[in-house]
Amino acid sequence: MDIIGPLALGTIGFVVAFAYINMRQTEEQLAETRRRKAEKAAAESASAMRIAAE
């Protein structure tokens, strides 16, 4: 019975660490997606301005 406590704490620690890493990775992917969308919108806006100016 003395081994159950450390195993439980180890398992909980692993789950917390995995969740943290997953959260950070998701944040980075979301930031990258938002950056790409903003660049695409800016490029489309610039091309629309050029067409309107002609």
Side-chain angles (χ1 to χ4, degrees):
M1 280 312 232
D2 290 332
I3 196 162
I4 299 296
L7 287 177
L9 291 176
T11 302
I12 292 170
F14 174 78
V15 169
V16 169
F18 184 76
Y20 176 76
I21 292 168
N22 193 17
M23 180 183 67
R24 296 292 297 173
Q25 186 177 19
T26 302
E27 287 175 355
E28 290 172 4
Q29 289 174 348
L30 183 59
E32 179 68 22
T33 301
R34 286 181 177 163
R35 184 187 61 77
R36 271 191 261 130
K37 281 185 179 180
E39 288 176 356
K40 183 178 178 184
E44 289 176 355
S45 177
S47 65
M49 296 284 267
R50 276 187 250 135
I51 292 172
E54 294 176 359

Coordinates of all heavy atoms in Angstrom, one line a residue:
M1 N 0.8 -1.2 0.0 CA 0.0 0.0 0.0 C 0.9 1.3 0.0 O 0.4 2.3 -0.4 CB -0.9 0.0 1.2 CG -2.2 -0.8 1.1 SD -3.0 -0.5 -0.5 CE -4.6 -0.2 0.0
D2 N 2.1 1.2 0.4 CA 2.9 2.3 0.5 C 3.3 2.8 -0.9 O 3.8 4.0 -1.0 CB 4.2 2.0 1.3 CG 3.9 1.9 2.8 OD1 2.9 2.5 3.2 OD2 4.7 1.1 3.4
I3 N 3.2 2.0 -1.9 CA 3.6 2.4 -3.3 C 2.5 3.2 -4.0 O 2.7 3.9 -5.0 CB 4.0 1.2 -4.1 CG1 4.8 1.7 -5.3 CG2 2.9 0.4 -4.5 CD1 5.7 0.6 -5.9
I4 N 1.2 3.1 -3.5 CA 0.1 3.7 -4.2 C 0.2 5.3 -4.2 O 0.0 5.9 -5.2 CB -1.2 3.3 -3.6 CG1 -1.4 1.8 -3.7 CG2 -2.4 4.0 -4.2 CD1 -1.5 1.2 -5.1
G5 N 0.6 5.8 -3.1 CA 0.7 7.3 -3.0 C 1.7 7.9 -4.0 O 1.3 8.8 -4.8
P6 N 2.9 7.5 -4.0 CA 3.9 8.0 -5.0 C 3.4 7.7 -6.5 O 3.6 8.6 -7.3 CB 5.2 7.3 -4.7 CG 5.1 6.9 -3.3 CD 3.6 6.6 -3.1
L7 N 2.9 6.6 -6.7 CA 2.4 6.3 -8.1 C 1.2 7.3 -8.5 O 1.2 7.8 -9.6 CB 1.9 4.9 -8.2 CG 3.0 3.8 -8.2 CD1 2.4 2.4 -8.3 CD2 4.0 4.0 -9.4
A8 N 0.4 7.5 -7.5 CA -0.8 8.4 -7.8 C -0.2 9.8 -8.1 O -0.7 10.5 -9.0 CB -1.8 8.4 -6.7
L9 N 0.7 10.3 -7.2 CA 1.3 11.6 -7.4 C 2.0 11.7 -8.7 O 2.0 12.7 -9.4 CB 2.2 12.0 -6.2 CG 1.5 12.2 -4.9 CD1 2.5 12.5 -3.8 CD2 0.5 13.4 -5.0
G10 N 2.8 10.7 -9.1 CA 3.5 10.6 -10.3 C 2.5 10.7 -11.5 O 2.8 11.4 -12.5
T11 N 1.4 10.0 -11.4 CA 0.5 10.0 -12.5 C -0.2 11.4 -12.6 O -0.3 11.9 -13.8 CB -0.6 8.9 -12.3 OG1 0.0 7.7 -12.2 CG2 -1.7 8.9 -13.4
I12 N -0.6 12.0 -11.5 CA -1.2 13.3 -11.5 C -0.2 14.3 -12.1 O -0.5 15.2 -12.9 CB -1.7 13.7 -10.1 CG1 -2.8 12.8 -9.8 CG2 -2.0 15.2 -10.1 CD1 -3.3 12.9 -8.3
G13 N 1.1 14.2 -11.7 CA 2.1 15.1 -12.2 C 2.3 15.0 -13.7 O 2.4 16.0 -14.4
F14 N 2.3 13.8 -14.2 CA 2.4 13.5 -15.6 C 1.3 14.2 -16.4 O 1.4 14.8 -17.4 CB 2.5 12.0 -15.9 CG 2.5 11.8 -17.4 CD1 3.6 11.9 -18.2 CD2 1.3 11.3 -18.0 CE1 3.6 11.7 -19.5 CE2 1.3 11.1 -19.4 CZ 2.5 11.2 -20.1
V15 N 0.1 14.0 -15.9 CA -1.1 14.5 -16.5 C -1.1 16.0 -16.5 O -1.4 16.7 -17.5 CB -2.4 14.0 -15.8 CG1 -3.7 14.8 -16.3 CG2 -2.6 12.5 -16.1
V16 N -0.7 16.6 -15.4 CA -0.6 18.1 -15.4 C 0.5 18.6 -16.3 O 0.3 19.6 -17.1 CB -0.3 18.6 -13.9 CG1 0.1 20.0 -13.9 CG2 -1.5 18.3 -13.0
A17 N 1.6 18.0 -16.4 CA 2.7 18.4 -17.3 C 2.3 18.2 -18.7 O 2.5 19.1 -19.6 CB 4.0 17.6 -17.0
F18 N 1.6 17.1 -19.1 CA 1.1 16.9 -20.4 C 0.1 17.9 -20.8 O 0.1 18.5 -21.9 CB 0.6 15.5 -20.5 CG 0.1 15.1 -21.9 CD1 1.1 14.8 -22.9 CD2 -1.2 15.1 -22.3 CE1 0.7 14.5 -24.2 CE2 -1.6 14.8 -23.6 CZ -0.7 14.5 -24.5
A19 N -0.8 18.2 -19.9 CA -1.9 19.2 -20.2 C -1.2 20.6 -20.4 O -1.6 21.4 -21.3 CB -2.9 19.3 -19.0
Y20 N -0.2 21.0 -19.6 CA 0.5 22.2 -19.8 C 1.2 22.3 -21.1 O 1.0 23.3 -21.8 CB 1.5 22.5 -18.6 CG 2.3 23.7 -18.8 CD1 1.7 25.0 -18.5 CD2 3.6 23.7 -19.3 CE1 2.4 26.1 -18.7 CE2 4.3 24.8 -19.4 CZ 3.7 26.1 -19.1 OH 4.5 27.2 -19.3
I21 N 1.9 21.3 -21.5 CA 2.6 21.3 -22.8 C 1.6 21.4 -23.9 O 1.8 22.1 -24.9 CB 3.4 20.0 -22.9 CG1 4.6 20.1 -21.9 CG2 3.9 19.8 -24.4 CD1 5.3 18.8 -21.8
N22 N 0.5 20.7 -23.8 CA -0.5 20.7 -24.9 C -1.2 22.1 -25.0 O -1.4 22.6 -26.1 CB -1.6 19.6 -24.5 CG -2.6 19.4 -25.7 OD1 -2.3 19.8 -26.8 ND2 -3.7 18.8 -25.4
M23 N -1.4 22.7 -23.8 CA -2.0 24.0 -23.8 C -1.1 25.1 -24.5 O -1.5 25.9 -25.3 CB -2.3 24.5 -22.4 CG -2.9 25.9 -22.2 SD -3.1 26.3 -20.5 CE -1.4 26.5 -20.0
R24 N 0.2 25.0 -24.2 CA 1.2 25.9 -24.8 C 1.3 25.7 -26.3 O 1.3 26.7 -27.0 CB 2.6 25.7 -24.1 CG 2.6 26.0 -22.7 CD 2.5 27.5 -22.4 NE 3.6 28.2 -23.0 CZ 3.7 29.5 -23.1 NH1 2.8 30.3 -22.7 NH2 4.7 30.0 -23.7
Q25 N 1.3 24.5 -26.7 CA 1.4 24.2 -28.1 C 0.1 24.7 -28.9 O 0.2 25.3 -30.0 CB 1.5 22.7 -28.4 CG 1.7 22.3 -29.8 CD 2.0 20.8 -30.0 OE1 1.6 20.0 -29.1 NE2 2.6 20.4 -31.1
T26 N -1.0 24.5 -28.3 CA -2.3 25.0 -28.8 C -2.2 26.6 -29.0 O -2.7 27.1 -30.0 CB -3.5 24.6 -28.0 OG1 -3.5 23.1 -28.0 CG2 -4.8 25.1 -28.6
E27 N -1.7 27.2 -27.9 CA -1.6 28.7 -28.0 C -0.7 29.1 -29.1 O -1.0 30.1 -29.8 CB -1.1 29.2 -26.6 CG -2.0 29.2 -25.5 CD -1.4 29.6 -24.2 OE1 -0.2 29.9 -24.1 OE2 -2.1 29.7 -23.2
E28 N 0.4 28.4 -29.3 CA 1.3 28.8 -30.3 C 0.7 28.6 -31.7 O 0.9 29.4 -32.6 CB 2.6 28.0 -30.2 CG 3.5 28.4 -29.0 CD 4.6 27.4 -28.8 OE1 4.8 26.5 -29.6 OE2 5.3 27.6 -27.8
Q29 N 0.0 27.5 -31.9 CA -0.7 27.2 -33.2 C -1.8 28.3 -33.4 O -1.9 28.7 -34.6 CB -1.3 25.8 -33.2 CG -0.3 24.7 -33.2 CD -0.9 23.3 -33.1 OE1 -2.1 23.2 -32.7 NE2 -0.1 22.3 -33.4
L30 N -2.5 28.7 -32.4 CA -3.5 29.7 -32.6 C -2.9 31.0 -33.0 O -3.4 31.7 -33.8 CB -4.4 29.8 -31.3 CG -5.5 30.8 -31.3 CD1 -6.5 30.4 -32.4 CD2 -6.2 30.8 -30.0
A31 N -1.8 31.4 -32.3 CA -1.2 32.6 -32.6 C -0.7 32.6 -34.1 O -0.8 33.6 -34.8 CB 0.0 32.9 -31.7
E32 N -0.1 31.5 -34.5 CA 0.4 31.4 -35.9 C -0.8 31.5 -36.9 O -0.6 32.2 -37.9 CB 1.1 30.0 -36.0 CG 1.7 29.8 -37.4 CD 2.8 30.7 -37.8 OE1 3.5 31.3 -36.9 OE2 3.0 30.9 -39.0
T33 N -1.9 30.8 -36.6 CA -3.0 30.9 -37.5 C -3.6 32.3 -37.6 O -3.9 32.8 -38.7 CB -4.2 30.0 -37.0 OG1 -3.6 28.6 -36.9 CG2 -5.4 30.0 -37.9
R34 N -3.7 33.0 -36.4 CA -4.1 34.4 -36.4 C -3.2 35.3 -37.2 O -3.6 36.2 -38.0 CB -4.3 34.9 -35.0 CG -5.5 34.3 -34.3 CD -5.6 34.9 -32.9 NE -6.8 34.3 -32.3 CZ -7.0 34.3 -31.0 NH1 -6.1 34.8 -30.2 NH2 -8.1 33.9 -30.5
R35 N -1.9 35.1 -37.1 CA -0.9 35.9 -37.8 C -1.1 35.7 -39.3 O -1.1 36.6 -40.1 CB 0.5 35.5 -37.4 CG 1.6 36.4 -38.0 CD 3.0 35.9 -37.7 NE 3.3 34.6 -38.2 CZ 3.5 34.3 -39.5 NH1 3.6 35.2 -40.4 NH2 3.8 33.1 -39.8
R36 N -1.2 34.4 -39.8 CA -1.4 34.1 -41.2 C -2.7 34.7 -41.7 O -2.7 35.3 -42.8 CB -1.4 32.6 -41.4 CG 0.0 32.1 -41.6 CD 0.0 30.7 -42.2 NE 0.3 29.8 -41.0 CZ -0.5 28.8 -40.7 NH1 -1.5 28.4 -41.4 NH2 -0.2 28.0 -39.6
K37 N -3.7 34.7 -41.0 CA -5.0 35.2 -41.4 C -4.9 36.8 -41.5 O -5.4 37.3 -42.5 CB -6.1 34.9 -40.4 CG -6.7 33.5 -40.6 CD -7.9 33.3 -39.7 CE -8.5 31.9 -39.8 NZ -9.6 31.7 -38.9
A38 N -4.2 37.4 -40.6 CA -4.0 38.8 -40.7 C -3.2 39.2 -41.9 O -3.5 40.2 -42.6 CB -3.4 39.3 -39.4
E39 N -2.1 38.5 -42.1 CA -1.3 38.7 -43.3 C -2.1 38.6 -44.6 O -1.9 39.4 -45.5 CB 0.0 37.8 -43.3 CG 1.0 38.2 -42.3 CD 2.1 37.2 -42.3 OE1 2.1 36.2 -43.0 OE2 3.1 37.4 -41.5
K40 N -2.9 37.5 -44.7 CA -3.7 37.3 -45.9 C -4.7 38.4 -46.1 O -4.9 38.9 -47.2 CB -4.4 35.9 -45.7 CG -5.2 35.5 -46.9 CD -5.9 34.2 -46.8 CE -6.7 33.8 -48.0 NZ -7.4 32.6 -47.8
A41 N -5.3 38.8 -45.0 CA -6.3 39.9 -45.1 C -5.7 41.2 -45.5 O -6.2 42.0 -46.3 CB -7.0 40.1 -43.7
A42 N -4.5 41.5 -45.0 CA -3.7 42.7 -45.4 C -3.3 42.6 -46.9 O -3.4 43.6 -47.6 CB -2.5 42.8 -44.5
A43 N -2.9 41.5 -47.3 CA -2.6 41.3 -48.7 C -3.8 41.5 -49.6 O -3.7 42.2 -50.7 CB -1.9 40.0 -49.0
E44 N -4.9 40.9 -49.2 CA -6.1 41.1 -50.0 C -6.6 42.5 -50.0 O -7.1 43.0 -51.0 CB -7.2 40.2 -49.5 CG -7.0 38.7 -49.8 CD -8.0 37.8 -49.1 OE1 -8.9 38.3 -48.4 OE2 -7.9 36.6 -49.4
S45 N -6.5 43.2 -48.9 CA -6.9 44.6 -48.8 C -6.0 45.4 -49.7 O -6.5 46.4 -50.3 CB -6.8 45.0 -47.3 OG -7.1 46.4 -47.2
A46 N -4.7 45.2 -49.7 CA -3.8 46.0 -50.5 C -4.1 45.7 -52.0 O -4.1 46.7 -52.7 CB -2.4 45.6 -50.2
S47 N -4.4 44.5 -52.4 CA -4.7 44.3 -53.8 C -6.0 44.9 -54.1 O -6.2 45.4 -55.3 CB -4.7 42.8 -54.1 OG -5.7 42.1 -53.4
A48 N -7.0 44.9 -53.3 CA -8.3 45.6 -53.5 C -8.1 47.1 -53.6 O -8.7 47.7 -54.5 CB -9.3 45.2 -52.4
M49 N -7.2 47.6 -52.8 CA -6.9 49.1 -52.9 C -6.3 49.4 -54.3 O -6.6 50.5 -54.9 CB -6.0 49.5 -51.8 CG -6.7 49.3 -50.4 SD -7.9 50.6 -50.1 CE -6.8 51.8 -49.3
R50 N -5.4 48.6 -54.7 CA -4.7 48.8 -56.0 C -5.8 48.8 -57.2 O -5.7 49.6 -58.1 CB -3.6 47.8 -56.3 CG -2.3 48.2 -55.6 CD -1.2 47.3 -56.0 NE -0.9 46.5 -54.8 CZ -0.7 45.2 -54.7 NH1 -0.8 44.4 -55.8 NH2 -0.5 44.6 -53.6
I51 N -6.7 47.8 -57.1 CA -7.7 47.6 -58.1 C -8.6 48.8 -58.1 O -9.0 49.4 -59.1 CB -8.5 46.3 -58.0 CG1 -7.5 45.1 -58.2 CG2 -9.7 46.3 -58.8 CD1 -8.1 43.8 -57.9
A52 N -9.0 49.3 -56.9 CA -9.9 50.4 -56.8 C -9.3 51.7 -57.3 O -9.9 52.6 -57.8 CB -10.4 50.6 -55.3
A53 N -8.0 51.8 -57.1 CA -7.2 53.0 -57.5 C -7.1 53.1 -59.0 O -7.0 54.2 -59.6 CB -5.8 53.0 -56.9
E54 N -7.2 52.0 -59.7 CA -7.1 52.0 -61.2 C -8.4 52.4 -61.8 O -9.0 53.0 -62.2 CB -6.8 50.6 -61.7 CG -5.4 50.1 -61.3 CD -5.2 48.7 -61.7 OE1 -6.1 48.0 -62.3 OE2 -4.1 48.2 -61.4

